[in-house]
Amino acid sequence: MFDTRIAEVAQGVTARLQAALAAYPGQIGAAMAHATGGGKRLRAFLVCEGAALHDVDPVAAMDAAAAIEAMHAYSLVHDDLPCMDDDDLRRGLPTVHVKWDEATAVLTGDALQTLAFELIAHMPLAADRVVTLTAGLARASGGVGMVLGQAMDIAAETAATPLTLPEITDLQAKKTGALIEWSAQAGPVMAAADTGPMGAYARALGLAFQIADDILDVEGDEAETGKRLRKDDDAGKATFVSLLGLDGAKAEAARLTDSACDALAPYGPRADALRQAARFVIARQS
């Protein structure tokens, strides 16, 4: 069920992004297309599946799904820059600043961020729900969410002492978890429904996702992940693996997965694809 559903979402969101990007000419447009290509589309899947649980118009759901993928792509383009993580490989392809140059990467990220809000602005929904989605995405992606998490991560690289487990949990809840939480809650927001169950699911899922990333950084294969590995260990950064040990990190990821699945109890079997998504997160190899 999950494999089929996420493939359907990936196809739909890719088509929606391509249609939106057709209006963007020249090198920036080409770089935006490059940056939004590929990927697991997990955030888009969470948007669409949460919307389906709440009987939301699929067209509106796809707009929101494309928006979160544009926002996520912006974060990756900037994260890969030499002044940040300095990565030359993303999704198995050269990063934007490597394929073009740093200025193009900065501008591409800027354009992808604004595209995300443009996609939400034109959603076929009541104005108050569009406003709620917009404000939520701004908060999740900005200086109290993803951007703050990234700043905390950069500061940790030169800190006198490594981060503690509570500190790294808080960092990752912002850097990675905030956009995942927005994605999962978008469906109930579009339906003006209770966001509580999907929020609890997403908070557990987001941490499990990051722990799985840390495990992949130790055990993964670069050919499968499509990005450079073991950089955190080489830099001496604290991770869930360094703090919990490999077995402890795997056990915590499994616990969080169970917690995420339990949060979906109000939806019954209709949420089985979301439960499978949680299990996929800790079993993935890329």
Side-chain angles (χ1 to χ4, degrees), residues 222-243:
E222 287 187 359
E224 290 191 40
T225 61
K227 61 182 180 181
R228 303 296 179 205
L229 298 178
R230 286 165 276 282
K231 291 184 66 178
D232 288 346
D233 187 52
D234 293 343
K237 288 175 63 175
T239 67
F240 286 106
V241 172
S242 70
L243 293 169

Side-chain angles (χ1 to χ4, degrees), residues 125-206:
L125 287 175
D128 61 330
R129 298 179 196 180
V130 171
V131 169
T132 300
L133 285 169
T134 302
L137 184 56
R139 187 172 182 83
S141 62
V144 296
M146 180 184 68
V147 169
L148 176 57
Q150 182 65 64
M152 293 165 66
D153 196 27
I154 292 170
E157 293 177 1
T158 55
T161 57
L163 295 179
T164 64
L165 185 60
E167 287 171 337
I168 199 169
T169 299
D170 180 51
L171 183 162
Q172 297 298 350
K174 294 177 172 66
K175 181 182 175 183
T176 301
L179 289 189
I180 288 176
E181 187 170 352
W182 183 91
S183 302
Q185 291 183 316
V189 167
M190 286 186 272
D194 179 17
T195 61
M198 290 297 289
Y201 166 82
R203 285 186 290 275
L205 180 73

Side-chain angles (χ1 to χ4, degrees), residues 64-160:
I68 195 62
E69 289 295 330
M71 185 66 76
H72 178 52
Y74 132 72
S75 75
L76 298 180
V77 172
H78 281 192
D79 196 38
D80 290 337
L81 283 165
C83 62
M84 302 277 273
D85 280 359
D86 194 14
D87 276 313
D88 59 2
L89 193 67
R90 173 69 66 180
R91 296 171 175 170
L93 297 172
T95 49
V96 173
H97 74 273
V98 170
K99 186 173 177 63
W100 285 278
D101 52 58
E102 289 183 39
T104 298
V106 171
L107 294 172
T108 297
D110 293 344
L112 286 167
Q113 184 192 59
T114 55
L115 172 62
F117 290 111
E118 181 181 352
L119 286 163
I120 293 176
H122 295 295
M123 289 173 62
L125 287 175
D128 61 330
R129 298 179 196 180
V130 171
V131 169
T132 300
L133 285 169
T134 302
L137 184 56
R139 187 172 182 83
S141 62
V144 296
M146 180 184 68
V147 169
L148 176 57
Q150 182 65 64
M152 293 165 66
D153 196 27
I154 292 170
E157 293 177 1
T158 55

